[in-house]
PDB file of all heavy atoms in Angstrom:
ATOM      1  N   SER A   1       1.536  -3.829 -16.018  1.00 92.00           N
ATOM      2  CA  SER A   1       2.981  -3.913 -16.120  1.00 92.00           C
ATOM      3  C   SER A   1       3.456  -2.509 -16.462  1.00 92.00           C
ATOM      4  O   SER A   1       2.963  -1.892 -17.404  1.00 92.00           O
ATOM      5  CB  SER A   1       3.376  -4.891 -17.219  1.00 92.00           C
ATOM      6  OG  SER A   1       4.777  -4.883 -17.389  1.00 92.00           O
ATOM      7  N   VAL A   2       4.399  -2.006 -15.673  1.00 93.00           N
ATOM      8  CA  VAL A   2       4.867  -0.633 -15.870  1.00 93.00           C
ATOM      9  C   VAL A   2       6.388  -0.609 -15.938  1.00 93.00           C
ATOM     10  O   VAL A   2       7.064  -1.480 -15.393  1.00 93.00           O
ATOM     11  CB  VAL A   2       4.348   0.313 -14.760  1.00 93.00           C
ATOM     12  CG1 VAL A   2       2.832   0.424 -14.819  1.00 93.00           C
ATOM     13  CG2 VAL A   2       4.784  -0.147 -13.381  1.00 93.00           C
ATOM     14  N   HIS A   3       6.898   0.395 -16.613  1.00 91.00           N
ATOM     15  CA  HIS A   3       8.347   0.528 -16.783  1.00 91.00           C
ATOM     16  C   HIS A   3       9.046   0.900 -15.480  1.00 91.00           C
ATOM     17  O   HIS A   3      10.171   0.486 -15.241  1.00 91.00           O
ATOM     18  CB  HIS A   3       8.647   1.556 -17.872  1.00 91.00           C
ATOM     19  CG  HIS A   3      10.107   1.698 -18.161  1.00 91.00           C
ATOM     20  ND1 HIS A   3      10.823   0.726 -18.819  1.00 91.00           N
ATOM     21  CD2 HIS A   3      10.977   2.684 -17.861  1.00 91.00           C
ATOM     22  CE1 HIS A   3      12.079   1.114 -18.910  1.00 91.00           C
ATOM     23  NE2 HIS A   3      12.201   2.294 -18.354  1.00 91.00           N
ATOM     24  N   ASP A   4       8.399   1.678 -14.627  1.00 95.00           N
ATOM     25  CA  ASP A   4       8.979   2.126 -13.369  1.00 95.00           C
ATOM     26  C   ASP A   4       7.868   2.160 -12.320  1.00 95.00           C
ATOM     27  O   ASP A   4       7.137   3.136 -12.207  1.00 95.00           O
ATOM     28  CB  ASP A   4       9.589   3.513 -13.552  1.00 95.00           C
ATOM     29  CG  ASP A   4      10.304   4.042 -12.321  1.00 95.00           C
ATOM     30  OD1 ASP A   4      10.027   3.575 -11.198  1.00 95.00           O
ATOM     31  OD2 ASP A   4      11.138   4.954 -12.479  1.00 95.00           O
ATOM     32  N   ALA A   5       7.726   1.073 -11.566  1.00 96.00           N
ATOM     33  CA  ALA A   5       6.613   0.934 -10.631  1.00 96.00           C
ATOM     34  C   ALA A   5       6.645   1.989  -9.522  1.00 96.00           C
ATOM     35  O   ALA A   5       5.591   2.468  -9.101  1.00 96.00           O
ATOM     36  CB  ALA A   5       6.585  -0.464 -10.029  1.00 96.00           C
ATOM     37  N   ARG A   6       7.818   2.368  -9.063  1.00 97.00           N
ATOM     38  CA  ARG A   6       7.883   3.400  -8.026  1.00 97.00           C
ATOM     39  C   ARG A   6       7.309   4.723  -8.552  1.00 97.00           C
ATOM     40  O   ARG A   6       6.532   5.391  -7.884  1.00 97.00           O
ATOM     41  CB  ARG A   6       9.312   3.572  -7.540  1.00 97.00           C
ATOM     42  CG  ARG A   6       9.772   2.440  -6.647  1.00 97.00           C
ATOM     43  CD  ARG A   6      11.273   2.529  -6.313  1.00 97.00           C
ATOM     44  NE  ARG A   6      11.672   1.440  -5.445  1.00 97.00           N
ATOM     45  CZ  ARG A   6      11.941   0.194  -5.863  1.00 97.00           C
ATOM     46  NH1 ARG A   6      11.853  -0.117  -7.140  1.00 97.00           N
ATOM     47  NH2 ARG A   6      12.295  -0.741  -4.997  1.00 97.00           N
ATOM     48  N   LYS A   7       7.698   5.082  -9.762  1.00 97.00           N
ATOM     49  CA  LYS A   7       7.186   6.302 -10.385  1.00 97.00           C
ATOM     50  C   LYS A   7       5.675   6.185 -10.609  1.00 97.00           C
ATOM     51  O   LYS A   7       4.930   7.141 -10.404  1.00 97.00           O
ATOM     52  CB  LYS A   7       7.911   6.544 -11.713  1.00 97.00           C
ATOM     53  CG  LYS A   7       7.504   7.805 -12.435  1.00 97.00           C
ATOM     54  CD  LYS A   7       8.333   7.982 -13.702  1.00 97.00           C
ATOM     55  CE  LYS A   7       7.909   9.209 -14.479  1.00 97.00           C
ATOM     56  NZ  LYS A   7       8.693   9.364 -15.714  1.00 97.00           N
ATOM     57  N   ALA A   8       5.222   5.018 -11.041  1.00 97.00           N
ATOM     58  CA  ALA A   8       3.790   4.798 -11.269  1.00 97.00           C
ATOM     59  C   ALA A   8       3.007   4.958  -9.971  1.00 97.00           C
ATOM     60  O   ALA A   8       1.962   5.623  -9.955  1.00 97.00           O
ATOM     61  CB  ALA A   8       3.547   3.411 -11.862  1.00 97.00           C
ATOM     62  N   LEU A   9       3.486   4.384  -8.891  1.00 98.00           N
ATOM     63  CA  LEU A   9       2.795   4.501  -7.607  1.00 98.00           C
ATOM     64  C   LEU A   9       2.716   5.955  -7.167  1.00 98.00           C
ATOM     65  O   LEU A   9       1.659   6.423  -6.730  1.00 98.00           O
ATOM     66  CB  LEU A   9       3.487   3.644  -6.545  1.00 98.00           C
ATOM     67  CG  LEU A   9       3.338   2.134  -6.734  1.00 98.00           C
ATOM     68  CD1 LEU A   9       4.321   1.383  -5.845  1.00 98.00           C
ATOM     69  CD2 LEU A   9       1.913   1.682  -6.490  1.00 98.00           C
ATOM     70  N   ASP A  10       3.809   6.682  -7.311  1.00 98.00           N
ATOM     71  CA  ASP A  10       3.804   8.111  -6.961  1.00 98.00           C
ATOM     72  C   ASP A  10       2.802   8.878  -7.830  1.00 98.00           C
ATOM     73  O   ASP A  10       2.059   9.724  -7.339  1.00 98.00           O
ATOM     74  CB  ASP A  10       5.200   8.727  -7.136  1.00 98.00           C
ATOM     75  CG  ASP A  10       6.190   8.245  -6.093  1.00 98.00           C
ATOM     76  OD1 ASP A  10       5.781   7.678  -5.056  1.00 98.00           O
ATOM     77  OD2 ASP A  10       7.413   8.441  -6.330  1.00 98.00           O
ATOM     78  N   TYR A  11       2.786   8.570  -9.131  1.00 98.00           N
ATOM     79  CA  TYR A  11       1.881   9.264 -10.050  1.00 98.00           C
ATOM     80  C   TYR A  11       0.419   8.991  -9.689  1.00 98.00           C
ATOM     81  O   TYR A  11      -0.383   9.921  -9.593  1.00 98.00           O
ATOM     82  CB  TYR A  11       2.147   8.854 -11.498  1.00 98.00           C
ATOM     83  CG  TYR A  11       1.163   9.494 -12.448  1.00 98.00           C
ATOM     84  CD1 TYR A  11       1.346  10.805 -12.876  1.00 98.00           C
ATOM     85  CD2 TYR A  11       0.031   8.813 -12.881  1.00 98.00           C
ATOM     86  CE1 TYR A  11       0.426  11.422 -13.718  1.00 98.00           C
ATOM     87  CE2 TYR A  11      -0.888   9.424 -13.720  1.00 98.00           C
ATOM     88  CZ  TYR A  11      -0.685  10.726 -14.133  1.00 98.00           C
ATOM     89  OH  TYR A  11      -1.605  11.323 -14.950  1.00 98.00           O
ATOM     90  N   TYR A  12       0.057   7.740  -9.507  1.00 98.00           N
ATOM     91  CA  TYR A  12      -1.343   7.398  -9.228  1.00 98.00           C
ATOM     92  C   TYR A  12      -1.816   8.008  -7.907  1.00 98.00           C
ATOM     93  O   TYR A  12      -2.973   8.400  -7.781  1.00 98.00           O
ATOM     94  CB  TYR A  12      -1.559   5.889  -9.256  1.00 98.00           C
ATOM     95  CG  TYR A  12      -1.297   5.287 -10.617  1.00 98.00           C
ATOM     96  CD1 TYR A  12      -0.637   4.082 -10.764  1.00 98.00           C
ATOM     97  CD2 TYR A  12      -1.703   5.932 -11.786  1.00 98.00           C
ATOM     98  CE1 TYR A  12      -0.385   3.536 -12.015  1.00 98.00           C
ATOM     99  CE2 TYR A  12      -1.455   5.403 -13.040  1.00 98.00           C
ATOM    100  CZ  TYR A  12      -0.791   4.200 -13.142  1.00 98.00           C
ATOM    101  OH  TYR A  12      -0.544   3.670 -14.386  1.00 98.00           O
ATOM    102  N   GLN A  13      -0.918   8.119  -6.946  1.00 98.00           N
ATOM    103  CA  GLN A  13      -1.284   8.773  -5.689  1.00 98.00           C
ATOM    104  C   GLN A  13      -1.508  10.261  -5.902  1.00 98.00           C
ATOM    105  O   GLN A  13      -2.510  10.820  -5.451  1.00 98.00           O
ATOM    106  CB  GLN A  13      -0.199   8.515  -4.639  1.00 98.00           C
ATOM    107  CG  GLN A  13      -0.186   7.067  -4.166  1.00 98.00           C
ATOM    108  CD  GLN A  13       1.019   6.723  -3.305  1.00 98.00           C
ATOM    109  OE1 GLN A  13       1.672   7.597  -2.752  1.00 98.00           O
ATOM    110  NE2 GLN A  13       1.317   5.437  -3.208  1.00 98.00           N
ATOM    111  N   ALA A  14      -0.595  10.923  -6.618  1.00 98.00           N
ATOM    112  CA  ALA A  14      -0.706  12.373  -6.829  1.00 98.00           C
ATOM    113  C   ALA A  14      -1.859  12.726  -7.764  1.00 98.00           C
ATOM    114  O   ALA A  14      -2.578  13.698  -7.527  1.00 98.00           O
ATOM    115  CB  ALA A  14       0.612  12.918  -7.398  1.00 98.00           C
ATOM    116  N   ALA A  15      -2.044  11.954  -8.821  1.00 97.00           N
ATOM    117  CA  ALA A  15      -3.041  12.280  -9.839  1.00 97.00           C
ATOM    118  C   ALA A  15      -4.454  11.878  -9.441  1.00 97.00           C
ATOM    119  O   ALA A  15      -5.399  12.636  -9.646  1.00 97.00           O
ATOM    120  CB  ALA A  15      -2.671  11.613 -11.165  1.00 97.00           C
ATOM    121  N   PHE A  16      -4.603  10.680  -8.884  1.00 97.00           N
ATOM    122  CA  PHE A  16      -5.928  10.118  -8.685  1.00 97.00           C
ATOM    123  C   PHE A  16      -6.262   9.803  -7.225  1.00 97.00           C
ATOM    124  O   PHE A  16      -7.290   9.204  -6.946  1.00 97.00           O
ATOM    125  CB  PHE A  16      -6.091   8.844  -9.523  1.00 97.00           C
ATOM    126  CG  PHE A  16      -5.797   9.042 -10.983  1.00 97.00           C
ATOM    127  CD1 PHE A  16      -4.899   8.225 -11.639  1.00 97.00           C
ATOM    128  CD2 PHE A  16      -6.408  10.059 -11.715  1.00 97.00           C
ATOM    129  CE1 PHE A  16      -4.621   8.398 -12.997  1.00 97.00           C
ATOM    130  CE2 PHE A  16      -6.133  10.250 -13.065  1.00 97.00           C
ATOM    131  CZ  PHE A  16      -5.238   9.419 -13.701  1.00 97.00           C
ATOM    132  N   GLY A  17      -5.378  10.182  -6.310  1.00 97.00           N
ATOM    133  CA  GLY A  17      -5.642   9.914  -4.901  1.00 97.00           C
ATOM    134  C   GLY A  17      -5.572   8.441  -4.541  1.00 97.00           C
ATOM    135  O   GLY A  17      -6.190   7.994  -3.575  1.00 97.00           O
ATOM    136  N   ALA A  18      -4.807   7.670  -5.307  1.00 97.00           N
ATOM    137  CA  ALA A  18      -4.678   6.237  -5.028  1.00 97.00           C
ATOM    138  C   ALA A  18      -4.089   6.016  -3.641  1.00 97.00           C
ATOM    139  O   ALA A  18      -3.249   6.796  -3.176  1.00 97.00           O
ATOM    140  CB  ALA A  18      -3.785   5.570  -6.080  1.00 97.00           C
ATOM    141  N   VAL A  19      -4.534   4.950  -3.015  1.00 98.00           N
ATOM    142  CA  VAL A  19      -4.010   4.545  -1.709  1.00 98.00           C
ATOM    143  C   VAL A  19      -3.252   3.241  -1.915  1.00 98.00           C
ATOM    144  O   VAL A  19      -3.812   2.267  -2.433  1.00 98.00           O
ATOM    145  CB  VAL A  19      -5.155   4.345  -0.690  1.00 98.00           C
ATOM    146  CG1 VAL A  19      -4.609   3.829   0.631  1.00 98.00           C
ATOM    147  CG2 VAL A  19      -5.927   5.641  -0.499  1.00 98.00           C
ATOM    148  N   GLU A  20      -1.984   3.243  -1.543  1.00 97.00           N
ATOM    149  CA  GLU A  20      -1.175   2.029  -1.675  1.00 97.00           C
ATOM    150  C   GLU A  20      -1.541   1.072  -0.552  1.00 97.00           C
ATOM    151  O   GLU A  20      -1.462   1.415   0.627  1.00 97.00           O
ATOM    152  CB  GLU A  20       0.308   2.381  -1.625  1.00 97.00           C
ATOM    153  CG  GLU A  20       1.199   1.191  -1.886  1.00 97.00           C
ATOM    154  CD  GLU A  20       2.671   1.550  -1.969  1.00 97.00           C
ATOM    155  OE1 GLU A  20       2.999   2.660  -2.450  1.00 97.00           O
ATOM    156  OE2 GLU A  20       3.487   0.720  -1.553  1.00 97.00           O
ATOM    157  N   MET A  21      -1.925  -0.139  -0.935  1.00 96.00           N
ATOM    158  CA  MET A  21      -2.342  -1.145   0.029  1.00 96.00           C
ATOM    159  C   MET A  21      -1.206  -2.098   0.389  1.00 96.00           C
ATOM    160  O   MET A  21      -1.152  -2.586   1.504  1.00 96.00           O
ATOM    161  CB  MET A  21      -3.528  -1.948  -0.521  1.00 96.00           C
ATOM    162  CG  MET A  21      -4.723  -1.079  -0.935  1.00 96.00           C
ATOM    163  SD  MET A  21      -5.327   0.005   0.383  1.00 96.00           S
ATOM    164  CE  MET A  21      -6.034  -1.206   1.479  1.00 96.00           C
ATOM    165  N   MET A  22      -0.347  -2.377  -0.555  1.00 95.00           N
ATOM    166  CA  MET A  22       0.809  -3.228  -0.264  1.00 95.00           C
ATOM    167  C   MET A  22       1.832  -3.105  -1.380  1.00 95.00           C
ATOM    168  O   MET A  22       1.509  -2.687  -2.480  1.00 95.00           O
ATOM    169  CB  MET A  22       0.411  -4.689  -0.042  1.00 95.00           C
ATOM    170  CG  MET A  22      -0.101  -5.448  -1.253  1.00 95.00           C
ATOM    171  SD  MET A  22       1.176  -6.265  -2.252  1.00 95.00           S
ATOM    172  CE  MET A  22       1.939  -7.367  -1.116  1.00 95.00           C
ATOM    173  N   ARG A  23       3.074  -3.485  -1.033  1.00 97.00           N
ATOM    174  CA  ARG A  23       4.178  -3.447  -1.996  1.00 97.00           C
ATOM    175  C   ARG A  23       5.143  -4.565  -1.637  1.00 97.00           C
ATOM    176  O   ARG A  23       5.530  -4.720  -0.485  1.00 97.00           O
ATOM    177  CB  ARG A  23       4.888  -2.103  -1.895  1.00 97.00           C
ATOM    178  CG  ARG A  23       6.081  -1.943  -2.818  1.00 97.00           C
ATOM    179  CD  ARG A  23       6.874  -0.689  -2.537  1.00 97.00           C
ATOM    180  NE  ARG A  23       6.090   0.526  -2.725  1.00 97.00           N
ATOM    181  CZ  ARG A  23       6.609   1.713  -2.986  1.00 97.00           C
ATOM    182  NH1 ARG A  23       7.916   1.857  -3.107  1.00 97.00           N
ATOM    183  NH2 ARG A  23       5.838   2.771  -3.119  1.00 97.00           N
ATOM    184  N   TRP A  24       5.543  -5.340  -2.640  1.00 97.00           N
ATOM    185  CA  TRP A  24       6.558  -6.358  -2.444  1.00 97.00           C
ATOM    186  C   TRP A  24       7.700  -6.047  -3.402  1.00 97.00           C
ATOM    187  O   TRP A  24       7.502  -5.938  -4.617  1.00 97.00           O
ATOM    188  CB  TRP A  24       6.017  -7.764  -2.730  1.00 97.00           C
ATOM    189  CG  TRP A  24       7.076  -8.823  -2.593  1.00 97.00           C
ATOM    190  CD1 TRP A  24       7.571  -9.341  -1.434  1.00 97.00           C
ATOM    191  CD2 TRP A  24       7.793  -9.458  -3.652  1.00 97.00           C
ATOM    192  NE1 TRP A  24       8.553 -10.267  -1.711  1.00 97.00           N
ATOM    193  CE2 TRP A  24       8.706 -10.356  -3.071  1.00 97.00           C
ATOM    194  CE3 TRP A  24       7.749  -9.345  -5.041  1.00 97.00           C
ATOM    195  CZ2 TRP A  24       9.562 -11.141  -3.820  1.00 97.00           C
ATOM    196  CZ3 TRP A  24       8.614 -10.127  -5.792  1.00 97.00           C
ATOM    197  CH2 TRP A  24       9.505 -11.020  -5.177  1.00 97.00           C
TER     198      TRP A  24
END
């Protein structure tokens, strides 16, 4: 659970190379 999911997704991609698989 995060305060700002859009910001979290951007952070995890930039910091850890996360790949977004889906978003609802």
